[in-house]
Amino acid sequence: MSTRRQWAAAVAGTLGLATMAVVTTPTSAPAEVAARVSTGGGGYLAPYFTEGDLTGDDQLTDADLDLLVPALGTVAADAGWAAVAAADYDADGVITMTDVADAAQRVLYDDGPFDLLESSAVDMQKAMNAGVTTSVKLTQAYLDRITAYDGLVDGAHARALNSIITTGGPAALAAAAESDALRAANGGPRSMVDGIPIILKDNYDTLDMPTSAGHGSWETNQTADDAFMVDGLRDAGAVILAKATLDEFAFGFASEYTTNVPAGSSKLVASPYQLARTAGGSSGGTGASIAANLGAIGFGTDTGGSIRVPASYNQLVGIRPTVGLTSRDGIVPLALSQDTGGPIARTVSDAAIALDAVVGVDPDDPLTSEQTGKVPASYTEYLDPDALEGRTFGYVTSMVPTVAQNAAANRLFTEAVADLTAAGATVVPITTTALNPTLNEASGSTNEFKHDLNTYIGAHLDPDVATRDLTSIIASGRLVPSRAATTYPQRNNVTQAQYETWIGTHGTAIATGESLTTGLLDSNDLDALIYPSGTPYGTFSTNLRLSPNTGMPAVTVPMGQSATGETFPGAGVNLEFLGRNYSEGDLIAMTYAYEQATRHRTTPPLYPALAPAPAPAPKGAVVERVDGYTVTVSDAEVEIGDEVTVTVAADAAADLYAYDLDLGFDPEVLEYDGATTTAAMPYSAVEAGDGTVSLVGSELGSSPATTGPTTLATLTFTATGQGTTDVTAGNLVSVAADLTSATVAPVGSTPVSVDLLPAPVATTLPTVAGTARVGQLVVATDTVFDLDGVAVDYQWLRGTSPIAGATGPTYTITPADLGSRLSVVVTGTLEDHAPGLAPSAGRTVLRAISTTTVAVKPASPRSSVRPQAVVSVRAPGITPTGAVRVTYGGKLVRNLPWRLVGGTVTVTLPRRTPGTYGLKVTYVPTAAFVASTRSTTVRVRR
């Protein structure tokens, strides 16, 4: 019996439980999943980049070549053959230079030119390994593209993308720097996502960025930890670059949201291919940002199409995994019977690499235990360009639009069938109504949302967020306006009884759908079902419901674009592959082979590569030349206090009797010291203003005009402020001896970049003084810098993440810090100097020590009286939380422990016959505290 059939049979026993996974068979997690366990290898691309590995690290590096080169000439009969036989690529029984060259080509390394646009994770890993780029440079480049493009509105961009809610900023750059350092120390990456900048849909919890779920009143929801999938990405070394916009609470396909938007209004996410159209949803921000190359790989969630719709609209690959392959813990839910998270990427290989990092068994989502034994070491081992050979696909004819219904989708699907056939596959049309009940089954987003959201709120929502149920969310007014009157109230009105009835019937429908669809695959001997994910900027029928209403996995991949004369010319349409539960590997193989054979994805022309920053001018270099004039600078990069000389010259003056030259500069960066005109003319005048200089030079009387190379002006400045300014020679009016004049505008310009003086250096680093336990006050010891007059600021860190508001020399440790490495960074600032950073060593935060006391009232009760035990639990600097168990006369007073309120609780004891009885109180703490006990005796009188 399948898991979903078991669940359907047992659903009555699971109703109303405040568990993460609504669709779940086990009543408790099995022993082997008592802790989070990653079952995905997240390794290097197999088999190409691993075949021939001689060192046992599942990759080809120079260490393998160091073993192989000395073995040149070794043959199969030699004693050392076993050690190198794996690298006999041509299987001729001898190690030759061909084998060495073959092995060398399999090293993840490329020192050629690197182009960020459309770069894959493999491209990035090769370039980082070769030192051509770094994770820091990649992260900064994507941050620059987000800054330049996400909000861009101009003549070519009538509407902003609006794909990003927030970026990781310094925290992302710090994670990238850590990745670079570990790469250097280890000689390579930790995984294929190590150092790769990732964009997450903003319903994934992140400990370093708020999680708003696209809703305005949750824009400060700073969760205490990461979602399970985000944990997996960080553990694999990925850089969490940004959080993407989404349709508010992932409701629909419009991607309309209210985060960081004034009450009563909303914003929409645009497709980077056609800005007048939506990017799809609900993971529209992820789709738009990855398509526009604002990040390397993205993640979305899919309840009824929210990964596959934006993938189709934005010519991307989307994986909706089997429900149970990726944990939903720490993701704001819509309907847990259908919710699942997965990658959205520009290529199938990127999607497979990303999936490796996030699969795993999570006890907080018991359904993930179903994946045990079904996950490969790496999904990248399925990336075979010949994987379509011998495959059989079927399509239900009613799931394919006719020409009349949508000509573009019909044509593209017909071409896709031809492409699959040409690659060696068989495609079978199937006429059946067996799947109609599954395709027509409604989504759980109405009946499950309130219940599942309450579960998330109780487990994850920041305690400081005031809107803690749908009623208060509606009252906040921070809603998509068109949904305030009906959509949210309708969901809020769902009762527990309605929810329970729905879960029972919907669970049965899902189990039935899985059985019917798997039976269709089996009876027709199919590897997968195929169908269009939708139409150009639209959906078709109820195709998208097949995967969520069966729980089965689907991968969507571009199959081309609408043509002239069809709907929305140039718009993408995707081909969707649906397979059996946990067949993601096979689906990746088939979609990868189809992608490699067709390569339908295009790059949005509205978002090209950013123009590279101008290279700094070398000393004395010609920066710009106009009509025979040059502007040069003595040094284009200086520090505050340095002198700068700018020269304006005519290459070959002809009949220059007099001239007037205007120059401009930024007075906040440069201070004007003086200027001279050409020495060839006896007369000169200089007038200086705020950021301007005007020079006049002239011959006198019947003096001959100046000819040949001539210096028109020499200006000197002192660098006074950080920044970059152009010293611009603007209008030049020249007068010949016959009094004819000519004007050149502008003559030219040269940039001058002024940097701060070197940062003060800490000669004594700070330390964290005090007891590193929850509730304790710790102090940053004094930091001494090598310069006088340095002002200091403090920032306390939890691990590598800044603690909000912790900017003083002292810090009181909170339960959120438990187990982390607590440190402080002291920033030294001095006018005109770069800031100096002085980090302390980290200290591991331990649990608070508790002390339990108990007082019995009355102290010697009569046997007819029920005495009370007043229990107090104290810890230095903090009020303990948890519960107490009370044993009186050798028996538990009750099985359920008493919950502490404000560190105290009063327990009414049972009556006892006269005598002396032992009373023992045991404090059962929450995670941040150490347990303690207190025992006493009670004498009961007659």
Side-chain angles (χ1 to χ4, degrees):
M1 181 181 290
S2 75
T3 296
R4 288 168 184 75
R5 291 177 191 167
Q6 291 172 346
W7 169 76
V11 68
T14 64
L15 287 173
L17 293 178
T19 56
M20 166 59 209
V22 174
V23 184
T24 175
T25 300
T27 56
S28 62
E32 64 268 25
V33 296
R36 295 184 173 201
V37 180
S38 174
T39 56
Y44 289 83
L45 292 169
Y48 183 79
F49 290 102
T50 60
E51 186 179 3
D53 169 39
L54 304 180
T55 58
D57 59 358
D58 290 328
Q59 57 179 314
L60 270 292
T61 67
D62 53 3
D64 296 286
L65 297 178
D66 288 343
L67 296 176
L68 191 59
V69 170
L72 279 169
T74 300
V75 298
D78 292 340
W81 178 253
V84 294
D88 180 22
Y89 295 104
D90 53 11
D92 63 354
V94 58
I95 299 299
T96 66
M97 272 306 298
T98 300
D99 297 315
V100 172
D102 200 341
Q105 290 184 354
R106 296 168 190 258
V107 176
L108 275 170
Y109 187 96
D110 188 343
D111 60 8
F114 174 75
D115 184 2
L116 182 70
L117 212 64
E118 295 295 312
S119 180
S120 70
V122 176
D123 296 331
M124 295 178 196
Q125 294 295 355
K126 289 180 176 181
M128 286 190 285
N129 286 345
V132 173
T133 191
T134 65
S135 180
V136 168
K137 289 180 180 178
L138 290 174
T139 302
Q140 186 61 62
Y142 280 127
L143 289 172
D144 291 344
R145 286 185 63 83
I146 291 170
T147 299
Y149 283 143
D150 194 54
L152 178 62
V153 176
D154 61 15
H157 304 79
R159 174 175 156 189
L161 274 181
N162 291 333
S163 68
I164 299 297
I165 283 181
T166 187
T167 69
L173 289 168
E178 180 184 15
S179 171
D180 289 335
L182 289 172
R183 183 185 299 270
N186 299 334
R190 289 166 285 176
S191 78
M192 285 301 294
V193 295
D194 194 1
I196 303 299
I198 304 292
I199 294 177
L200 302 172
K201 185 177 183 178
D202 194 34
N203 58 352
Y204 283 76
D205 285 354
T206 48
L207 56 80
D208 51 3
M209 285 178 275
T211 301
S212 75
H215 172 63
S217 77
W218 279 19
E219 59 200 16
T220 60
N221 175 31
Q222 183 54 70
T223 58
D225 55 11
D226 287 325
F228 180 88
M229 290 174 65
V230 180
D231 263 345
L233 288 165
R234 292 197 204 268
D235 287 347
V239 174
I240 307 304
L241 176 74
K243 303 291 285 294
T245 50
L246 66 153
D247 199 84
E248 188 174 49
F249 287 117
F251 276 178
F253 297 155
S255 283
E256 187 174 3
Y257 64 98
T258 58
T259 308
N260 301 325
V261 176
S265 60
S266 61
K267 286 186 177 181
L268 289 163
V269 184
S271 167
Y273 293 91
Q274 297 186 26
L275 292 174
R277 309 304 305 175
T278 176
S282 60
S283 310
T286 306
S289 60
I290 298 304
N293 286 272
L294 305 189
I297 297 172
F299 276 87
T301 57
D302 192 309
T303 304
S306 293
I307 286 174
R308 294 160 294 150
V309 169
S312 186
Y313 286 13
N314 299 290
Q315 302 186 34
L316 298 168
V317 175
I319 297 180
R320 178 192 156 89
T322 306
V323 177
L325 183 64
T326 56
S327 169
R328 285 83 52 84
D329 181 49
I331 299 175
V332 181
L334 178 58
L336 285 172
S337 67
Q338 300 168 203
D339 287 351
T340 187
I344 300 176
R346 290 186 288 271
T347 64
V348 176
S349 66
D350 278 357
I353 286 166
L355 188 61
D356 271 343
V358 297
V359 299
V361 175
D362 177 8
D364 292 327
D365 186 352
L367 190 59
T368 58
S369 63
E370 182 185 88
Q371 71 184 256
T372 304
K374 301 173 184 177
V375 178
S378 172
Y379 285 105
T380 63
E381 68 188 47
Y382 289 90
L383 298 175
D384 179 3
D386 299 320
L388 292 174
E389 181 70 39
R391 300 279 189 171
T392 302
F393 301 103
Y395 66 91
V396 176
T397 54
S398 61
M399 296 178 71
V400 179
T402 64
V403 173
Q405 289 171 318
N406 193 280
N410 177 273
R411 173 182 59 82
L412 292 171
F413 184 79
T414 300
E415 293 173 358
V417 169
D419 290 332
L420 292 169
T421 303
T426 300
V427 182
V428 180
I430 300 171
T431 301
T432 180
T433 59
L435 300 185
N436 286 4
T438 301
L439 291 168
N440 293 330
E441 173 72 8
S443 171
S445 58
T446 294
N447 291 303
E448 297 175 46
F449 178 63
K450 177 181 177 180
H451 173 276
D452 295 347
L453 188 69
N454 285 339
T455 300
Y456 171 87
I457 289 171
H460 298 286
L461 190 68
D462 186 334
D464 292 334
V465 174
T467 48
R468 308 192 69 81
D469 54 27
L470 265 180
T471 300
S472 57
I473 287 171
I474 294 168
S476 75
R478 298 293 302 278
L479 304 170
V480 170
S482 63
R483 302 171 187 171
T486 57
T487 302
Y488 285 96
Q490 179 187 19
R491 285 160 169 75
N492 196 31
N493 290 336
V494 174
T495 66
Q496 179 67 16
Q498 287 174 304
Y499 166 77
E500 292 177 5
T501 299
W502 163 260
I503 283 295
T505 59
H506 190 53
T508 300
I510 290 175
T512 301
E514 177 198 357
S515 177
L516 289 172
T517 307
T518 302
L520 185 67
L521 291 168
D522 292 344
S523 62
N524 290 277
D525 198 21
L526 303 178
D527 292 283
L529 287 173
I530 59 171
Y531 45 89
S533 289
T535 61
Y537 292 117
T539 60
F540 177 72
S541 187
T542 56
N543 286 11
L544 293 168
R545 295 186 186 179
L546 186 58
S547 177
N549 285 344
T550 61
M552 298 165 71
V555 180
T556 185
V557 62
M559 68 172 176
Q561 295 80 37
S562 179
T564 302
E566 297 174 336
T567 310
F568 304 117
V573 180
N574 273 23
L575 180 66
E576 192 163 321
F577 292 67
L578 180 134
R580 297 166 177 84
N581 281 336
Y582 298 100
S583 65
E584 282 82 359
D586 278 341
L587 292 175
I588 285 168
M590 295 179 284
T591 52
Y592 176 76
Y594 174 73
E595 172 196 63
Q596 296 302 297
T598 57
R599 298 185 182 272
H600 285 303
R601 171 170 165 78
T602 64
T603 305
L606 289 172
Y607 300 94
L610 294 177
K619 295 181 179 180
V622 174
V623 175
E624 187 170 345
R625 182 189 302 272
V626 178
D627 293 337
Y629 298 94
T630 60
V631 183
T632 59
V633 63
S634 58
D635 193 342
E637 295 182 334
V638 296
E639 293 179 345
I640 290 175
D642 288 348
E643 183 178 278
V644 179
T645 300
V646 176
T647 303
V648 182
D651 295 335
D655 195 7
L656 179 62
Y657 190 83
Y659 68 93
D660 182 3
L661 177 64
D662 295 330
L663 296 103
F665 60 95
D666 185 351
E668 299 295 322
V669 178
L670 296 177
E671 180 178 280
Y672 169 74
D673 291 333
T676 59
T677 60
T678 177
M681 295 184 176
Y683 176 81
S684 66
V686 178
E687 181 179 353
D690 187 19
T692 63
V693 180
S694 296
L695 302 99
V696 174
S698 180
E699 303 290 351
L700 293 175
S702 58
S703 301
T706 297
T707 60
T710 304
T711 298
L712 300 177
T714 302
L715 299 93
T716 57
F717 302 88
T718 299
T720 56
Q722 183 187 23
T724 299
T725 181
D726 285 333
V727 179
T728 301
N731 290 336
L732 170 66
V733 179
S734 61
V735 182
D738 65 0
L739 303 183
T740 57
S741 67
T743 301
V744 176
V747 172
S749 64
T750 182
V752 178
S753 179
V754 179
D755 205 354
L756 295 171
L757 294 170
V761 177
T763 57
T764 301
L765 292 174
T767 60
V768 177
T771 302
R773 288 185 180 276
V774 172
Q776 295 290 298
L777 181 75
V778 288
V779 180
T781 60
D782 290 341
T783 304
V784 180
F785 289 89
D786 61 347
L787 299 176
D788 294 331
V790 176
V792 296
D793 295 298
Y794 301 83
Q795 177 61 64
W796 293 85
L797 304 178
R798 183 185 297 121
T800 60
S801 299
I803 302 172
T807 55
T810 63
Y811 175 66
T812 300
I813 300 173
T814 70
D817 303 318
L818 179 65
S820 66
R821 296 286 288 176
L822 183 70
S823 63
V824 65
V825 174
V826 178
T827 302
T829 57
L830 184 62
E831 186 177 6
D832 294 341
H833 288 259
L837 299 180
S840 75
R843 295 185 63 187
T844 300
V845 175
L846 305 177
R847 294 178 294 168
I849 300 295
S850 69
T851 302
T852 299
T853 61
V854 59
V856 179
K857 296 182 180 181
S860 299
R862 296 184 180 278
S863 60
S864 61
V865 174
R866 296 186 67 185
Q868 291 184 322
V870 181
V871 180
S872 295
V873 183
R874 296 290 181 261
I878 189 170
T879 300
T881 56
V884 296
R885 293 187 184 275
V886 178
T887 303
Y888 182 43
K891 296 182 180 180
L892 273 176
V893 174
R894 73 175 187 186
N895 291 330
L896 185 67
W898 279 267
R899 183 68 55 185
L900 290 172
V901 178
T904 65
V905 66
T906 298
V907 178
T908 300
L909 302 175
R911 296 181 183 90
R912 290 283 187 268
T913 58
T916 300
Y917 298 87
L919 176 65
K920 180 179 180 181
V921 177
T922 301
Y923 168 42
V924 182
T926 53
F929 301 88
V930 176
S932 58
T933 62
R934 176 56 59 95
S935 298
T936 188
T937 58
V938 179
R939 186 174 67 84
V940 179
R941 298 177 295 149
R942 290 186 179 275

